[in-house]
Amino acid sequence: MKLVVAPNALKGSLSPFEAATAIANGARRARPDAEVVEVPIADGGDGTAEVVGKARSADFREASALDPRGRPRRARYAWLEDGTAIIDVATASGLALLTENERSATLATSFGTGQVLRAALEAGAQRVVLGVGGSATVDGGAGVLQALGVRFLDDAGRELPPGGSALARLARIDSSGLTPLARHVPIEVACDVDSALLGEQGAARLFAPQKGGSASDVEDLERALTRLADVVERDFGRDVRTMTSGGAAGGIAAGLHGVLGARLMAGVDWVLDAVGFDQALAGAALCLTAEGQLDSQSLRNKGPWGVARRAAAHGVPVVVLGGSIGADVRTGDFADFTAWFSICQRPVLLEEALTHAATLLEAASEQVVRLFVAAATSAKPEPPESRA
Amino acid sequence: MKLVVAPNALKGSLSPFEAATAIANGARRARPDAEVVEVPIADGGDGTAEVVGKARSADFREASALDPRGRPRRARYAWLEDGTAIIDVATASGLALLTENERSATLATSFGTGQVLRAALEAGAQRVVLGVGGSATVDGGAGVLQALGVRFLDDAGRELPPGGSALARLARIDSSGLTPLARHVPIEVACDVDSALLGEQGAARLFAPQKGGSASDVEDLERALTRLADVVERDFGRDVRTMTSGGAAGGIAAGLHGVLGARLMAGVDWVLDAVGFDQALAGAALCLTAEGQLDSQSLRNKGPWGVARRAAAHGVPVVVLGGSIGADVRTGDFADFTAWFSICQRPVLLEEALTHAATLLEAASEQVVRLFVAAATSAKPEPPESRA
């Protein structure tokens, strides 16, 4: 019996690799002779470079970069044999790099991600994939572009300071200083959400609050990003206001598409292709995936949902294990999941579930596989016709 | 596809009937064409008379009785067509009848249960089954026996006051006043635990604390029950110290066996026979059971474990849904369960899980049946040999 184990990270507790190990251990406890294939996944969010890089035996390289508040750090990225560089926005510009007090939706800059991108280009990358997700920024990618040589100017021709709110004073984008490498090497963006740049579900209104934005910050940022979109359309001829995934990573996706023409991709589909998920799925009896929280957001291109759609297309049952199953998870919309179970084994506090996530995930996986095997082996096919 | 739904009560939230409804609803949502057979169960504990009574179309009767602290109440019991009366100790002598402050392991008396038993005998019962479990008492059944006419005397020949601790002064048991009906009508005790009267796992040490007994109360009660066992052996020739299930319901099981020769039975097996569980199981694809808390205590003749043993014997997979799955639940000992799942869908407080138990149980049941059906229908039997 072949079992495919393809979890996302469980944010705040387990990496996709740790989650895969836990699920695989549980599956093997339930069925010691199973062929268990571990395919840790990501969806363009934090961990994309690691997941794809490890699956593809990448080199990992480092570059110097400034964090979202301008402090120097080293940022790691993956380098595939074919010259593709995979860079996670979260590595240089991630929310996880800041303490609660350091967060600032209005001031945080994605400049560091641009530095890593530039380093990869200068090292000879033939293609760059940017995994966006987990960013601390709402700057519409202005920081990334500044690091590549683009200037964001006010109406006095002065360069704008870092951060999203300054874009409210944007008068002109001068791309004459853009490094030529960025014009010739394909840059693609693996997006972890399908949200647009602007509007109720956009980079400011939906995501800025968790990046430290107050209610008035959110509206300031919405105006600033609107201004950015207006100028981008005027100067580059691309409307990035409502395009799918333009709001990913505080609008980095929209900014890179608008100014550089970068292609935006659904992160999970790109990752699943890159790690060979369909090949792993061939001949599988069951696929197990996992996520920290399963809820209606999960249907917006999150990892397990991408896994479920492919498993369903291949006719492989797929079970998702969640740290938390939201009250909005109902059969209809989630029908590509065969079933879902929480890893919580009793009433517990969130803190406890996070601390013991590996143990709980392993236990839940064991039970799912036990039930699956019992059902599969107790199924009594119709007896063959008796032979004369 | 036939599904058997056989839950215990989920203590503090759902009766076995409510639990069965919730599980059946979830199962039908997953598989609308399933034949779902509801067999609510009990294990000798609270709810036994209702469960067996309803399954057997019993009459329900009432008798006057004193509660564990001596206050009058009406107590309901079941009367089967064959003249069997089924009486739950919990109805007249239950812990649930008392507030936290009213609990007293040392003073609470099972006298009320004896009154109901006597009323049933006087109404012409041909057989009495006492479902013990959920009692507030640790009186070794002295109260039940007193209501039937037995006298518990100190060495001055004075009758002892109610409650377990007074048994420390027991000198003699005078059964000359025992109602003759209790000698001629079989009295059987359906026990919800296998604990002995005395010792570390006994009626005092294991159960008195939850009945309001302090540490010193527990040791006083251990001495009092030891005295009771000594006198019973001397006066009635039966050693009730360590017999299986003697400690059930604060020793009511031991007392009734010792003085009346009552037969002690594993409650769950008696209930499963009485409700026709094996017949329900015939041809079932899956059995679902449930319990408030699944833990190592569950293996001591609790309802779901009885269900699991029979299902395993019939080759029917059995899944238990628990409000809480204890950390001590491990595959080895619990191997007759195919799998277990908590109804908790995310980190929650106990209070919330209790309040929403029906919804959570229904949701968990739906997922289990979805997975089961997917596994059973995706199982690909070996292709038949090709025919020449």
Side-chain angles (χ1 to χ4, degrees):
Chain A
M1 178 175 280
K2 179 177 177 180
L3 306 173
V4 174
V5 172
N8 236 5
L10 275 71
K11 231 182 218 174
S13 54
L14 299 177
S15 75
F17 303 95
E18 293 165 331
T21 301
I23 296 173
N25 286 345
R28 286 194 201 95
R29 272 227 304 271
R31 179 82 179 195
D33 66 346
E35 177 196 355
V36 181
V37 180
E38 296 179 37
V39 191
I41 63 157
D43 50 22
D46 197 357
T48 296
E50 293 288 319
V51 158
V52 176
K54 286 193 178 149
R56 297 278 292 273
S57 306
D59 282 339
F60 285 91
R61 303 188 174 184
E62 281 195 351
S64 295
L66 300 179
D67 81 3
R69 302 306 299 270
R71 296 166 300 198
R73 53 176 283 116
R74 300 286 291 170
R76 178 176 147 103
Y77 65 101
W79 187 279
L80 305 190
E81 215 175 7
D82 65 5
T84 299
I86 309 172
I87 301 167
D88 283 350
V89 163
T91 311
S93 312
L95 193 61
L97 304 177
L98 305 180
T99 66
E100 193 93 28
N101 284 336
E102 291 168 352
R103 294 179 185 184
S104 168
T106 53
L107 298 179
T109 174
S110 60
F111 189 84
T113 296
Q115 294 177 286
V116 183
L117 207 168
R118 185 166 196 150
L121 292 172
E122 289 172 354
Q126 300 300 303
R127 177 192 184 208
V128 177
V129 176
L130 211 56
V132 301
S135 84
T137 62
V138 194
D139 73 349
V144 178
L145 292 162
Q146 287 168 322
L148 297 176
V150 178
R151 301 199 314 151
F152 289 73
L153 306 171
D154 67 15
D155 55 14
R158 288 172 303 218
E159 192 130 11
L160 295 178
S165 60
L167 295 170
R169 306 196 306 277
L170 180 64
R172 194 163 64 84
I173 300 175
D174 170 10
S175 66
S176 60
L178 176 67
T179 170
L181 290 167
R183 297 189 194 275
H184 303 121
V185 174
I187 296 174
E188 295 169 88
V189 185
C191 301
D192 69 333
V193 291
D194 60 6
S195 316
L197 179 67
L198 304 178
E200 288 314 311
Q201 305 285 311
R205 294 207 176 114
L206 192 59
F207 296 107
Q210 72 203 45
K211 298 176 181 180
S214 67
S216 76
D217 290 344
V218 166
E219 291 312 311
D220 287 350
L221 287 166
E222 181 73 9
R223 276 188 294 274
L225 293 175
T226 302
R227 178 70 193 149
L228 173 66
D230 292 345
V231 174
V232 162
E233 186 171 32
R234 188 195 65 203
D235 294 355
F236 298 89
R238 296 191 186 94
D239 177 2
V240 297
R241 292 177 187 84
T242 58
M243 68 183 303
T244 298
S245 297
I252 290 177
L256 268 59
H257 174 75
V259 174
L260 303 182
R263 186 165 79 95
L264 310 191
M265 314 180 290
V268 63
D269 284 320
W270 179 75
V271 170
L272 292 177
D273 286 340
V275 302
F277 180 68
D278 287 5
Q279 294 89 314
L281 211 51
L286 175 67
C287 176
L288 291 139
T289 182
E291 183 163 35
Q293 169 146 351
L294 187 75
D295 58 23
S296 56
Q297 288 292 317
S298 307
L299 300 181
R300 310 186 71 170
N301 276 334
K302 291 291 180 190
W305 186 237
V307 166
R309 279 184 287 122
R310 294 198 181 200
H314 283 74
V316 176
V318 57
V319 172
V320 55
L321 303 172
S324 162
I325 308 290
D328 55 358
V329 176
R330 291 272 174 271
T331 303
D333 290 344
F334 290 78
D336 281 348
F337 289 120
T338 304
W340 47 84
F341 296 97
S342 169
I343 66 172
C344 295
Q345 299 215 317
R346 63 197 76 98
V348 289
L349 299 177
L350 174 61
E351 184 60 35
E352 191 187 340
L354 290 172
T355 304
H356 299 290
T359 308
L360 295 172
L361 190 57
E362 181 173 330
S365 163
E366 182 183 2
Q367 298 308 312
V368 165
V369 176
R370 281 172 63 85
L371 176 57
F372 184 86
V373 167
T377 56
S378 77
K380 292 166 192 70
E382 296 299 309
E385 292 169 46
S386 64
R387 300 178 199 182
Chain B
M1 178 175 281
K2 180 176 176 181
L3 306 173
V4 175
V5 172
N8 236 5
L10 274 71
K11 232 182 220 174
S13 55
L14 299 176
S15 75
F17 303 95
E18 294 165 330
T21 300
I23 296 172
N25 286 346
R28 286 195 200 95
R29 272 227 304 272
R31 180 81 180 195
D33 66 346
E35 178 196 357
V36 181
V37 180
E38 297 180 37
V39 191
I41 64 157
D43 50 22
D46 197 356
T48 296
E50 294 287 321
V51 159
V52 176
K54 286 195 177 146
R56 297 279 291 274
S57 307
D59 281 341
F60 285 91
R61 303 188 174 184
E62 282 195 352
S64 296
L66 300 178
D67 81 3
R69 302 306 299 270
R71 296 167 301 197
R73 54 176 285 115
R74 301 285 291 170
R76 177 176 150 104
Y77 65 101
W79 188 279
L80 304 190
E81 216 176 5
D82 65 4
T84 300
I86 309 173
I87 301 166
D88 283 351
V89 162
T91 311
S93 312
L95 193 61
L97 305 177
L98 305 180
T99 66
E100 193 94 27
N101 284 336
E102 291 168 354
R103 295 178 184 185
S104 169
T106 53
L107 298 179
T109 173
S110 61
F111 189 82
T113 295
Q115 294 176 286
V116 183
L117 206 168
R118 186 167 195 150
L121 292 172
E122 289 172 354
Q126 301 299 303
R127 178 194 183 205
V128 177
V129 176
L130 212 56
V132 299
S135 84
T137 62
V138 194
D139 74 349
V144 178
L145 292 161
Q146 286 169 323
L148 296 176
V150 177
R151 301 198 314 150
F152 289 74
L153 306 170
D154 67 15
D155 55 13
R158 289 172 304 218
E159 191 129 13
L160 295 178
S165 61
L167 295 169
R169 305 196 307 277
L170 180 66
R172 193 164 64 85
I173 299 174
D174 171 10
S175 66
S176 60
L178 177 67
T179 171
L181 291 167
R183 296 189 196 276
H184 303 120
V185 175
I187 296 174
E188 296 168 88
V189 185
C191 302
D192 69 333
V193 292
D194 60 5
S195 317
L197 179 68
L198 304 179
E200 288 314 311
Q201 304 285 310
R205 294 206 177 116
L206 193 58
F207 295 108
Q210 71 202 46
K211 298 176 181 180
S214 67
S216 76
D217 290 344
V218 166
E219 292 312 311
D220 286 350
L221 287 166
E222 181 73 9
R223 277 189 293 275
L225 293 175
T226 302
R227 178 68 193 150
L228 173 66
D230 292 345
V231 174
V232 162
E233 185 170 34
R234 187 197 65 205
D235 293 356
F236 297 89
R238 297 190 185 94
D239 177 2
V240 297
R241 292 176 186 85
T242 58
M243 68 183 301
T244 298
S245 297
I252 290 178
L256 268 60
H257 175 76
V259 175
L260 303 181
R263 186 166 78 96
L264 310 191
M265 314 180 290
V268 62
D269 284 321
W270 178 75
V271 169
L272 292 178
D273 286 340
V275 301
F277 180 68
D278 287 5
Q279 294 89 314
L281 211 52
L286 175 66
C287 177
L288 291 138
T289 181
E291 182 163 35
Q293 171 147 350
L294 187 75
D295 58 24
S296 55
Q297 289 292 317
S298 307
L299 300 181
R300 310 185 72 170
N301 276 334
K302 291 291 180 190
W305 186 236
V307 166
R309 279 183 286 121
R310 293 199 183 199
H314 283 73
V316 176
V318 57
V319 172
V320 55
L321 302 172
S324 162
I325 308 289
D328 54 358
V329 177
R330 291 273 175 269
T331 303
D333 290 343
F334 290 77
D336 281 349
F337 289 120
T338 304
W340 47 86
F341 296 97
S342 169
I343 66 172
C344 295
Q345 298 214 320
R346 64 199 75 98
V348 289
L349 300 176
L350 175 61
E351 185 60 36
E352 191 187 339
L354 290 172
T355 304
H356 299 290
T359 307
L360 294 172
L361 190 57
E362 181 173 329
S365 162
E366 182 183 2
Q367 297 308 313
V368 164
V369 175
R370 282 173 62 87
L371 176 58
F372 184 85
V373 168
T377 55
S378 77
K380 292 167 192 67
E382 296 299 308
E385 292 170 44
S386 63
R387 299 180 197 180

